[in-house]
Amino acid sequence: MLSIAYSQFENSLSDEMCHHLMNKRIPQFWKTWNANFKKNVSKKININGHINDVDIANEFAAHFKRVFTSCGDDEVYGDFVRKRADYISDDVQSSFECIDKVTVELIDKCVKDLKIGKACGPDDLGAEHLLCAHPALIMHLQNLFKLILCHSIVPNSFGVGITIPLVKDKTGNINDVYNYRGITLSPIISKLFEVVLLSMCNAVLKTDSLQFGFKEKVGTVDALFTLTSTIKHFTDRCSAVYLSSLDICKAFDRVNHYKMYMSLLEVGFPVIIVDVLCNWYGKLYYAVRWNSQISEYFAVNSGVRQGSCLSPALFNVFMNVFITSLNL
């Protein structure tokens, strides 16, 4: 009986992983894998000689702060200002249309699209609070979001984030800061606003078919299939194949904000929303939480926000120019 029970357990685990893989839910696949096959990380962490939670949090804060670069290049900023001026004269009607799109129905739908069971941000509020709130809240949120678009100013709290260091490789050195990546928890109202913006601008956030990252139902498996199929096509015809690869270190965190804004304008992103992003990204301040301790806050001057539902789409638009230029 014991062997039968163990066999059923193994089969159910294999079925679950196979189901995730067949439906191209790669994050869920690896989450199931890690939960069953990787050992838990020891709580006795020593980061650069520090074992105290506060000191460790500040060590991570200093490490993550070094990743971000300054976007204060006067030439790049000047290029953005000129490009924005070219678009603003033709975008007045679009601005009014964007504001009109912020309806009660849209916000209600976006609230229901929020993922539950996630960790709370600095405001200690989760998606469950919005889902269970009085329906009148939706009307207040509508007024808030419309005012943000009208004035291109977000509340300062929208820029505050709490970064949680997560181990990349549990079999590696857990005392090495480079073996950790940071996931940032944001206020739930700001996350909802991101979902609203994503819904409003989804039509212009299309990227090249050869862009496999951060898209639904495509990923590494599709990229590898395309690569191997291309190589096979030429080798079957006795042709040489030359391959090069580029590992862009910390690409997500080092995106120049003004270059990203220009990329968004070029694909038809409404100027009014680009202005909101300019104000928003100028207010980013993060702190690191380790266990129950919080580090000092530091400014974030580059990159797209980790843990944000809008960031993958913005990053794809920014990177798309490189992919399309290779197709020429």
Side-chain angles (χ1 to χ4, degrees), residues 2 13 22 28 32 36 42 59 99 102 118 125 149 151 173 190 200 211 216 235 246 255 261 281-282 307 320 324:
L2 182 62
L13 177 61
M22 292 292 290
Q28 289 85 344
T32 304
N36 288 275
S42 170
E59 279 294 313
I99 297 172
V102 184
K118 298 294 183 179
L125 295 176
L149 291 173
H151 299 285
N173 183 5
S190 71
M200 291 167 55
Q211 168 60 274
E216 289 186 0
T235 54
L246 175 65
V255 171
Y261 303 149
Y281 274 74
N320 195 58
T324 53

Side-chain angles (χ1 to χ4, degrees), residues 71 255-261 281 284 300-304:
C71 296
V255 171
N256 184 288
H257 290 165
Y258 295 113
K259 289 184 178 180
M260 179 182 72
Y261 303 149
Y281 274 74
L284 297 184
V300 177
N301 299 316
S302 67
V304 289

Side-chain angles (χ1 to χ4, degrees), residues 302-313:
S302 67
V304 289
R305 303 166 68 218
Q306 294 279 0
S308 159
C309 65
L310 188 59
S311 292

